[in-house]
Amino acid sequence: MADDDNFEPRERRQRRLRPRINMGALHPTTFRENFRLSVEVATALEDLISGTVAHDTGLNMALTPRQQLLVSLRFYATGAYLRLVGDGHGVSEATVCRAIHRVTDAIIHRCPGAITWPGDPAALGRLKEDFRQVAGLPDIVGCIDGTHVRLTVPREQREAYINRKGFPSLNVMAVAAPDRSIVALSVHCGGRVHDARVLATSGLPDYFRNGNPVMGAMMLGDSGYGLSPWLMTPIADPTTAEERAYNNAHARTRVVVENAFGVLKMRFGALEFGLRLKSVARCVAVIHTCFILHNMCIKGGDFGEWLGPLRQDEGMVQEPADGAAELPAAGAERRAGLVRRNDLVRLFVRH
């Protein structure tokens, strides 16, 4: 053992600071391709969350709100490993993780009304008219569907999240407007849960039944949902020209939600390729944030055409739901739904 008197402390290694991305140095097109939204939307986001995510200290080269936002947007855009995101921004994996958590929570906290149905009758009237212009169906205020987002879950929790294709996911339910914006969202169910059960536990049925502004209006859904007065599904085996015309109008109108999911997954690789975060709660928050950002892009006039040819989300094939098994008082609701659907079919009778 060396004599303590001869001990010489090693010289402390100088900390190396890697260069970080400067938003202002990127061409707007390059910025949009890398971060999947425009400079204008990113700037508005920065103004919105800066006070929430700013660090109280300037020590250790803490990331500015803008740098935290860019790191997070790059993660949402790619779904890449945190280390790879950090390498592209000159920060460590741990710093990326903290930035994503702070920015994600800040966006959700600062944008509570980003995903909501219009509350006033005039706005609802415009929504109904926009849907009616598609294929002639009246009183439609939204098109509903589910999409699966892959995630990593602990082995002991996998059973609750394994979907029909055999991988763990969250079954994300959304309702889309004609412009592909999202007016309702539910991210609380694992992949093994049927679409109809996701709807039944989402609070939307009560919203339509209990005198809210959308009372008397309808959504369109596929055969995975139960028929009700406020949710129209296609006719399983149409036998008349009028029924086939109704199914055609239903499909032409409902495709908006499939297109919305397609744009979302083309814009945000985290939704397309899956999330590798350590907790399901963090995955839920990131998914929620991506949907908020999608609506912000739509509001800013960015409908995603630049992403490439529009594709529909492949979704998950579901067996038709037994309404009585999925929805409270479904027998009475189904009968009332049949009456209302027959009224819609009669709209296509040729005189």
Side-chain angles (χ1 to χ4, degrees):
M1 182 177 293
D3 189 338
D4 289 344
D5 293 338
N6 296 326
F7 174 75
E8 295 183 4
R10 288 188 303 171
E11 183 180 353
R12 185 176 179 180
R13 188 172 61 181
Q14 186 176 7
R15 186 180 179 192
R16 238 175 25 137
L17 298 175
R18 292 175 285 177
R20 295 171 179 173
I21 289 180
N22 178 5
M23 184 166 77
L26 295 177
H27 188 277
T29 301
T30 303
F31 181 90
R32 188 176 64 176
E33 289 173 350
N34 279 279
F35 299 102
R36 317 308 277 174
L37 41 76
S38 67
V39 173
E40 291 77 15
V41 171
T43 301
L45 267 175
E46 181 186 358
D47 293 340
L48 194 65
I49 68 172
S50 287
T52 305
V53 304
H55 291 286
D56 295 331
T57 176
L59 299 177
N60 297 320
M61 294 293 291
L63 295 186
T64 65
R66 175 176 293 186
Q67 290 167 336
Q68 293 179 67
L69 176 61
L70 293 180
V71 165
S72 302
L73 290 178
R74 187 60 179 165
F75 172 73
Y76 305 148
T78 63
Y81 288 103
L82 303 188
R83 179 170 295 179
L84 293 179
V85 175
D87 287 346
H89 287 261
V91 296
S92 69
E93 180 178 356
T95 299
V96 171
C97 184
R98 289 191 294 269
I100 292 170
H101 289 182
R102 290 169 69 91
V103 169
T104 298
D105 290 345
I107 291 174
I108 294 173
H109 174 71
R110 297 288 294 161
C111 303
I115 300 175
T116 185
W117 256 298
D120 64 279
L124 276 173
R126 289 192 294 272
L127 189 59
K128 291 179 181 181
E129 178 60 21
D130 288 345
F131 270 118
R132 192 190 65 79
Q133 291 289 337
V134 176
L137 292 175
D139 293 326
I140 307 302
V141 295
C143 296
I144 187 171
D145 203 358
T147 189
H148 286 254
V149 177
R150 186 187 295 264
L151 74 162
T152 301
V153 295
R155 184 179 298 274
E156 62 273 13
Q157 298 179 19
R158 282 179 63 86
E159 185 177 352
Y161 294 92
I162 296 296
N163 60 40
R164 293 168 66 88
K165 290 188 177 180
F167 63 85
S169 68
L170 284 165
N171 189 352
V172 181
M173 182 202 79
V175 180
D179 62 359
R180 302 180 199 145
S181 63
I182 303 302
V183 295
L185 179 69
S186 175
V187 200
H188 71 284
C189 287
R192 70 172 297 169
V193 181
H194 193 284
D195 283 357
R197 174 57 62 184
V198 179
L199 171 61
T201 58
S202 68
L204 269 183
D206 290 338
Y207 189 71
F208 274 87
R209 294 176 185 135
N210 295 336
N212 285 282
V214 293
M215 189 175 183
M218 298 178 287
M219 295 187 295
L220 299 182
D222 63 21
S223 57
Y225 296 99
L227 178 66
S228 76
W230 45 269
L231 177 53
M232 294 291 106
T233 58
I235 297 170
D237 297 301
T239 57
T240 67
E242 292 77 20
E243 290 179 344
R244 287 189 288 273
Y246 161 80
N247 272 8
N248 179 265
H250 187 286
R252 286 170 56 197
T253 307
R254 198 189 67 82
V255 74
V256 67
V257 67
E258 297 175 356
N259 289 343
F261 285 148
V263 170
L264 272 152
K265 291 191 172 183
M266 291 169 68
R267 190 186 295 274
F268 300 113
L271 303 183
E272 173 73 358
F273 305 115
L275 294 163
R276 306 179 187 89
L277 303 177
K278 291 184 177 180
S279 78
V280 173
R282 297 316 312 174
C283 294
V284 168
V286 167
I287 294 168
H288 188 180
T289 298
C290 289
F291 276 75
I292 289 173
L293 296 179
H294 167 80
N295 274 9
M296 292 184 71
C297 291
I298 296 290
K299 186 176 180 180
D302 177 4
F303 298 95
E305 295 91 343
W306 59 274
L307 293 165
L310 181 64
R311 65 175 177 80
Q312 298 172 15
D313 179 53
E314 294 180 0
M316 189 76 60
V317 177
Q318 304 250 349
E319 296 298 325
D322 176 0
E326 295 294 346
L327 298 172
E333 284 212 322
R334 178 170 177 77
R335 288 191 293 272
L338 283 169
V339 171
R340 196 162 192 193
R341 189 169 69 183
N342 288 338
D343 289 340
L344 292 177
V345 170
R346 281 192 284 272
L347 295 175
F348 297 95
V349 173
R350 294 186 179 183
H351 299 287

